[in-house]
Amino acid sequence: MTLSRGEKPTISIQEHMAIDVCPGPIQPIKQISDYFPRYPRGLPPVGAPRTTLCAAPAAASASASESEDSPDRAFAGASASRRDDEPDVEAYDSDDSTTLGTLDFSLLYDQENNALHCTINKAKGLKPMDHNGLSDPYVKLHLLPGASKANKLRTKTLHNTLNPVWSETLTYYGITDEDMVRKTLRISVCDEDKFRHNEFIGETRIPLKKLKPNQSKNFNNCLEKQLPVNKTEEKSLEERGRIMISLKYNTLKSCLVVGIIRCAHLAAMDANGFSDPYVKTYLKPDENKKSKHKTAVKKKTLNPEFNEEFCYDIKYADLTKKTLEVTVWDYDIGKSNDFIGGVSLGINANGERLKHWFDCLKNKDKKIERWHTLTNELPGSLND
């Protein structure tokens, strides 16, 4: 392409774009966080010199050269930087390992009365969950495995605080020595919200085998994030409450006397959060279908007291072939009754249920009382 004298060269738009499209090496784009350096917690210490981004490489090279010249200086510099990275524990109620807070409580197993007393004293340095920087905390308890609404207990809610003081005692009734060996108490701290779901703050778990009978033990535990549920816990039967049963073989009348004394922590089956429970008993196998007995219905309660006894005419030698099935039901008007839970006692049972049956056989004319766990499954027919 030839140009006459005085004529300016013209460049097409394609040639112009081809020139400008490669301005040189691409520079990294600064992030917003580069302008706001992070500190371990809160603002930087008063009087601390501000470092700019461009001075960082020079400072790093200088410190590197100094560390090569003097190992002592390098060690001193490393320890100083470590101190700068550590959070200010004095300014907060909890450090990095306890950012969820701590919980102070005590546990007492009353062996004679089969009761576990859980005293929730206070919490400190809870994680803020609300927009105002505070929380509305409460504590709830579960027994694992077999956690359900039936064995959940909870404290009252304290509003707008990160250091709540409850001083509240929650009691589980019907706790057996077997429970103390295999059960774990899960204690969760949650934040109550009126207009949405309550939020989980943290939890701690205590194996009950750590407790000694009739001795109170104090705990001050750091709260942890929600722990995964053990697979064995998922497969276990859901617990639906506890029932106290008495057994006595009357040698004069040649009959087995079954006493339904009370229930505790029953599952709520009605919309009002309660149940209308009653108990049925069967002595199986029952060829004539005459072994059914039923207690009265107790209205609107999860801890009913029945104190009723039923007699089964049976020879002592035949008890080794029998199984006592006890089921608890929720009475409903106009529809079928809801099954709450059940338990079987007899020669084919195990654990506390088998031991209770054997104690009855070995101790004639003596009333033997035991607490038993109700589960959501029971062998045999559950037709009402």
Side-chain angles (χ1 to χ4, degrees):
M1 177 178 173
T2 58
L3 297 175
S4 59
R5 182 176 294 180
E7 185 180 358
K8 294 182 179 181
T10 58
I11 300 176
S12 66
I13 187 65
Q14 289 84 358
E15 292 173 325
H16 177 76
M17 295 300 294
I19 294 171
D20 291 343
V21 77
C22 297
I26 300 175
Q27 299 295 328
I29 301 174
K30 292 183 180 180
Q31 299 181 0
I32 189 69
S33 59
D34 293 335
Y35 298 96
F36 299 95
R38 295 189 178 188
Y39 292 90
R41 179 173 291 153
L43 296 175
V46 178
R50 290 192 176 183
T51 58
T52 58
L53 294 175
C54 60
S61 61
S63 63
S65 62
E66 288 178 2
S67 63
E68 291 176 357
D69 296 338
S70 173
D72 294 337
R73 287 185 180 181
F75 178 78
S79 61
S81 63
R82 246 185 256 117
R83 282 196 298 270
D84 292 340
D85 292 339
E86 287 178 357
D88 185 7
V89 179
E90 297 297 329
Y92 287 83
D93 287 324
S94 55
D95 55 22
D96 281 348
S97 64
T98 61
T99 52
L100 301 177
T102 60
L103 182 65
D104 183 278
F105 60 97
S106 63
L107 302 176
L108 170 64
Y109 173 48
D110 185 352
Q111 190 176 33
E112 182 179 355
N113 296 312
N114 296 105
L116 177 64
H117 302 289
C118 313
T119 301
I120 308 299
N121 297 319
K122 61 183 178 180
K124 186 178 180 182
L126 293 181
K127 178 182 178 182
M129 304 299 289
D130 298 336
H131 295 298
N132 59 3
L134 300 173
S135 295
D136 302 317
Y138 67 92
V139 177
K140 63 179 180 179
L141 310 180
H142 283 102
L143 283 175
L144 305 175
S148 67
K149 292 182 179 180
N151 63 33
K152 182 186 76 173
L153 301 177
R154 62 162 286 175
T155 66
K156 60 188 176 184
T157 301
L158 299 181
H159 296 281
N160 296 325
T161 178
L162 300 180
N163 301 287
V165 179
W166 288 282
S167 299
E168 191 172 342
T169 299
L170 307 174
T171 302
Y172 280 107
Y173 294 100
I175 301 298
T176 63
D177 291 341
E178 183 182 2
D179 292 327
M180 296 301 295
V181 173
R182 67 183 186 92
K183 291 282 187 180
T184 296
L185 180 66
R186 178 190 181 192
I187 307 177
S188 307
V189 181
C190 301
D191 171 59
E192 184 177 282
D193 283 316
K194 290 184 178 180
F195 304 107
R196 53 181 181 173
H197 291 295
N198 297 341
E199 295 179 289
F200 175 85
I201 297 178
E203 70 170 41
T204 183
R205 299 188 183 187
I206 305 296
L208 296 185
K209 60 185 178 182
K210 289 186 176 181
L211 304 180
K212 295 181 179 179
N214 306 315
Q215 293 185 18
S216 179
K217 187 170 184 179
N218 296 321
F219 297 87
N220 190 2
N221 290 9
C222 299
L223 296 176
E224 303 177 76
K225 295 180 180 179
Q226 197 158 14
L227 301 174
V229 179
N230 196 326
K231 292 182 179 180
T232 58
E233 295 177 4
E234 293 178 351
K235 295 179 181 179
S236 64
L237 296 177
E238 180 185 350
E239 294 185 5
R240 311 300 291 273
R242 305 292 174 106
I243 184 169
M244 179 182 275
I245 301 172
S246 68
L247 297 178
K248 173 186 173 181
Y249 186 77
N250 191 322
T251 55
L252 295 178
K253 298 182 179 180
S254 297
C255 69
L256 175 66
V257 181
V258 178
I260 305 299
I261 301 173
R262 58 179 294 198
C263 294
H265 314 299
L266 291 181
M269 307 302 289
D270 297 336
N272 58 9
F274 293 96
S275 294
D276 301 319
Y278 67 94
V279 179
K280 294 193 302 178
T281 64
Y282 292 91
L283 193 61
K284 294 185 175 182
D286 182 20
E287 294 82 4
N288 299 323
K289 297 185 178 180
K290 293 182 179 180
S291 69
K292 175 182 172 181
H293 289 286
K294 185 162 52 174
T295 68
V297 176
K298 302 296 180 179
K299 294 287 186 179
K300 200 177 179 181
T301 178
L302 301 180
N303 300 282
E305 293 192 15
F306 298 100
N307 295 314
E308 297 188 34
E309 290 186 342
F310 309 115
C311 291
Y312 291 100
D313 295 327
I314 185 174
K315 295 178 181 180
Y316 176 78
D318 294 338
L319 285 177
T320 56
K321 307 172 186 176
K322 295 290 186 178
T323 297
L324 178 68
E325 290 188 1
V326 181
T327 55
V328 183
W329 299 79
D330 170 52
Y331 177 76
D332 287 319
I333 300 176
K335 60 179 181 178
S336 59
N337 299 330
D338 298 319
F339 171 67
I340 296 178
V343 63
S344 293
L345 285 73
I347 198 69
N348 295 320
N350 51 38
E352 288 287 333
R353 296 168 294 163
L354 178 61
K355 186 175 183 298
H356 193 184
W357 192 257
F358 271 137
D359 287 344
C360 172
L361 297 180
K362 289 189 295 184
N363 300 278
K364 299 177 184 178
D365 297 313
K366 182 180 179 181
K367 182 184 291 186
I368 309 294
E369 296 181 354
R370 292 282 191 279
W371 280 98
H372 296 284
T373 301
L374 298 169
T375 62
N376 59 338
E377 292 184 10
L378 181 67
S381 174
L382 293 179
N383 295 328
D384 189 27

